[in-house]
Amino acid sequence: MVDEETKVIGSLRIAIPLFNIYLNEADELSRRLSTELAEWSVEFERRPVSESTVVLAHSLAGSSATVGFIELSGLARALEHALIR
C-alpha cells in the first residue's frame, strides 16, 4: 500500500517533498546539460568539452542516485565518464 505522501515510479518510492525537490533539480540540470552539449556539438573540433558540462552530468548522476533512480544515475555517470575521455 502506498500513501498519498509517496510518489511511485515503477519500483521507486520517494516521499513527495523529496520528489519535488529532485524533480526541480533534475529538470534544471538536464536543461543546462542539454544546452551545453548542443553548443559544444557545434564546436567540438575546435575546443574540448567544458568542465561545467562534466559537472552537470556528475550532479545529475549524484542527485538521481540519492533518490534511488539508479537507471538515470547510471546514464548520467556514463555520460560524465565519456565527456572526461
Side-chain angles (χ1 to χ4, degrees), residues 16-83:
I16 295 289
L18 178 59
F19 174 76
N20 290 335
I21 292 167
Y22 167 73
L23 189 60
N24 288 331
E25 183 176 307
D27 182 54
E28 177 66 14
L29 290 169
S30 298
R31 183 190 62 73
R32 290 175 52 203
L33 181 58
S34 178
T35 299
E36 288 198 18
L37 286 171
E39 290 170 355
W40 175 69
S41 72
V42 175
E43 302 178 329
F44 74 94
E45 292 179 349
R46 294 190 301 257
R47 69 174 176 92
V49 68
S50 72
E51 173 101 10
S52 64
T53 306
V54 175
V55 169
L56 288 167
H58 178 83
S59 296
L60 182 58
S63 63
S64 297
T66 298
V67 298
F69 197 170
I70 302 306
E71 294 85 358
L72 181 55
S73 177
L75 180 62
R77 186 77 62 210
L79 176 59
E80 174 191 6
H81 290 218
L83 293 171

